[in-house]
């Protein structure tokens, strides 16, 4: 069974159709990269999957459960959508950390807020909070920040802040973790450290969707690549085959422009 099934997703802003009939599936443990020029709909697609934007049409299923069906109002109730958002995590381009909290607190915060709604938190607040803190420390260690847990965002480099953001997303234990151009705000040296973390997550058999302009990274880490243009999927397939032998003229133009450094 597919871990993710996306069927005929559509999204418009006013009269501008941003996504048109987007359909694909993923298996558990796969890494999917989405490539394409700015404005092709890549970020909007991730925001629809995470329900930060509500699709105008289509179906989204995770693990066989229908999270969204444009024809079924029951899947669109706001309270239910907030819960379903946890199934698909999203790491943003610009970190979005809370500046008033340490790296450790940034990772713990959302998990603790969710835990407060459960009976076990009221019964054993200290114990639950200790477990949340231990898991947050483990995640920060996993992304190479074991010595930066008590630092505030302003005391961290851009790459370190992005790694905190990755740990924060992992703390919520999503079925699928999405990255929206996670290195676009970083210089080349810091880009490398973030990409290394994402590679390590791939080795942990996590299911990931990565919007990226790093073509070499997309080719090496992905099981599947989608090329988008004008709100549609122009071409998709094996990353080496698509990037070395693209079949669609628009894909050829896009990759040629990148290789020419234009």
């Amino acid at each position: 069974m597919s871990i993710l099934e996306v069927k005929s997703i559509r999204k418009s802003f006013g009269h501008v159709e941003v996504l048109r009939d987007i359909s694909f599936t993923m298996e558990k443990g796969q890494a999917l990269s989405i490539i394409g020029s700015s404005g092709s709909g890549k970020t909007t697609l991730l925001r629809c999957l995470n329900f930060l934007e509500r699709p105008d049409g289509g179906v989204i299923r995770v693990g066989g459960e229908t999270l969204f069906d444009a024809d079924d109002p029951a899947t669109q109730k706001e309270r239910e959508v907030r819960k379903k958002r946890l199934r698909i995590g999203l790491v943003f381009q610009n970190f979005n950390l809370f500046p008033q909290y340490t790296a450790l607190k940034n990772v713990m915060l959302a998990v603790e807020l969710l835990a407060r709604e459960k009976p076990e938190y009221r019964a054993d607040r200290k114990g639950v909070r200790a477990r949340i803190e231990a898991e947050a420390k483990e995640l920060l260690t996993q992304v190479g920040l074991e010595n930066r847990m008590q630092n505030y965002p302003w005391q961290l480099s851009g790459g370190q802040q992005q790694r905190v953001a990755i740990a924060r997303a992992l703390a919520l234990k999503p079925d699928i973790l999405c990255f929206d151009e996670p290195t676009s705000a970083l210089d080349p040296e810091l880009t490398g450290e973030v990409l290394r973390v994402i590679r390590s997550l791939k080795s942990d058999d996590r299911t990931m969707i990565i919007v990226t302009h790093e073509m070499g990274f997309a080719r090496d880490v992905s099981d599947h690549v989608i090329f988008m243009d004008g709100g549609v999927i122009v071409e998709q397939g094996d990353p080496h085959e698509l990037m070395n032998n693209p079949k669609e003229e628009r894909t050829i133009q896009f990759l040629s422009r990148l290789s020419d450094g234009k």
Side-chain angles (χ1 to χ4, degrees), residues 32-215:
L32 165 68
S33 286
I34 304 176
I35 62 174
S37 301
S38 297
S40 59
K42 307 183 302 297
T43 292
T44 299
L45 174 57
L46 291 191
R47 291 176 65 86
C48 284
L49 294 178
N50 184 252
F51 303 107
L52 291 174
E53 301 286 353
R54 197 73 58 88
D56 298 321
V59 176
I60 300 170
R61 295 189 180 96
V62 174
E65 178 185 353
T66 300
L67 300 193
F68 176 85
D69 184 339
D71 296 325
D72 183 0
T75 67
Q76 301 174 48
K77 295 178 180 178
E78 187 58 36
R79 182 177 178 83
E80 293 303 311
V81 166
R82 285 199 300 269
K83 292 179 182 177
K84 293 170 182 177
R85 187 174 292 145
L86 300 174
R87 303 284 299 275
I88 302 179
L90 180 57
V91 177
F92 299 91
Q93 296 180 30
N94 295 315
F95 325 137
N96 289 0
L97 300 180
F98 293 103
Q100 70 272 35
Y101 296 132
T102 64
L104 180 60
K105 184 65 174 178
N106 264 282
V107 176
M108 293 176 58
L109 186 61
V111 183
E112 188 171 7
L113 289 174
L114 289 171
R116 289 177 181 177
E117 301 176 2
K118 299 177 180 179
E120 53 264 35
Y121 186 88
R122 293 187 290 272
D124 184 16
R125 178 178 177 180
K126 288 185 178 180
V128 171
R129 194 177 186 283
R131 288 194 294 273
I132 293 171
E133 182 173 339
E135 290 178 2
K137 288 180 175 179
E138 183 177 343
L139 287 170
L140 285 169
T141 299
Q142 182 179 344
V143 299
L145 294 174
E146 59 272 21
N147 297 321
R148 296 287 188 173
M149 295 185 189
Q150 299 305 324
N151 287 91
Y152 291 87
W154 63 270
Q155 296 173 311
L156 302 172
S157 70
Q160 290 168 337
Q161 290 184 60
Q162 190 61 293
R163 285 186 277 158
V164 174
I166 293 171
R168 178 178 61 184
L170 289 170
L172 293 169
K173 299 180 174 64
D175 294 280
I176 301 157
L177 183 58
C178 299
F179 297 87
D180 184 15
E181 297 186 23
T183 61
S184 64
L186 305 176
D187 62 36
E189 183 177 357
L190 300 180
T191 291
E193 67 184 44
V194 172
L195 294 182
R196 282 193 293 274
V197 169
I198 298 175
R199 286 180 192 274
S200 73
L201 297 178
K202 167 65 175 174
S203 67
D204 286 344
D205 203 32
R206 297 184 187 274
T207 307
M208 300 186 291
I209 302 175
I210 308 158
V211 167
T212 182
H213 290 296
E214 303 285 341
M215 294 299 106

